[in-house]
Amino acid sequence: KGRLLELTYHEKAGAYFGPLLRRLRVVEPHTLEDKLESSLMPGEFRDVLRLDLLINGRPRRQPEASEVWLAVEVSVVVDQNDVDRAARRAGLLRRAGFRAVAAVAGEQMTRGAEEAARSQNVALLQDGQVLFWDEALDAH
């Protein structure tokens, strides 16, 4: 069920993330390998490659803002580990020179996930609802 949900977010990225980003495109992390490999340790590089979804676009409500890279972890039930993983991988992308924002997406979330997302400035998407987007965007 989790893999199917990942594929759904990938195929319908415009529906899920279009309200947040203009000129949205789904990017395979390996296409950034030259910049990533030159900036990260081998284990960190592999960690970024494991992202469930990487999306590039411009913030819809901030048309003057530079493009962002949304590092998304998808899970049927989003928990604190998903939030931590998204935050860590977005941090690695930032270290490699990308303006990266962490996000988690799923059908349900644990209380720990919501608290972790709030404290780590990670956007949380659940059933068409988006929490902490502005905070996540402003923090990076």
Side-chain angles (χ1 to χ4, degrees):
K1 189 171 180 178
R3 182 70 182 134
L4 181 60
L5 189 61
E6 283 181 34
L7 291 171
T8 300
Y9 270 91
H10 191 277
E11 291 173 8
K12 297 184 177 191
Y16 290 108
F17 301 98
L20 305 175
L21 298 173
R22 298 174 54 241
R23 298 189 187 132
L24 173 147
R25 66 187 176 106
V26 175
V27 178
E28 294 301 325
H30 70 85
T31 62
L32 309 175
E33 66 186 17
D34 290 340
K35 192 162 186 182
L36 293 172
E37 276 189 305
S38 68
S39 303
L40 302 174
M41 300 296 293
E44 295 170 331
F45 170 68
R46 286 189 301 274
D47 196 23
V48 172
L49 292 181
R50 291 185 189 109
L51 268 169
D52 290 339
L53 190 58
L54 181 62
I55 298 174
N56 177 250
R58 295 195 178 271
R60 186 165 295 285
R61 291 187 295 199
Q62 298 175 2
E64 73 290 344
S66 62
E67 69 180 7
V68 296
W69 297 83
L70 201 55
V72 186
E73 290 299 315
V74 178
S75 183
V76 174
V77 179
V78 175
D79 64 18
Q80 184 172 348
N81 290 327
D82 298 308
V83 174
D84 294 344
R85 199 167 34 256
R88 183 181 70 244
R89 291 174 177 166
L92 292 171
L93 284 165
R94 283 192 295 277
R95 241 184 48 218
F98 298 94
R99 182 179 178 216
V101 174
V104 291
E107 295 175 351
Q108 299 173 4
M109 69 179 138
T110 65
R111 180 171 297 193
E114 185 174 352
E115 292 168 3
R118 179 183 292 115
S119 70
Q120 295 182 57
N121 294 313
V122 173
L124 198 152
L125 288 82
Q126 178 191 10
D127 288 336
Q129 203 178 46
V130 181
L131 301 174
F132 318 125
W133 170 248
D134 291 328
E135 296 86 348
L137 190 59
D138 291 344
H140 307 290

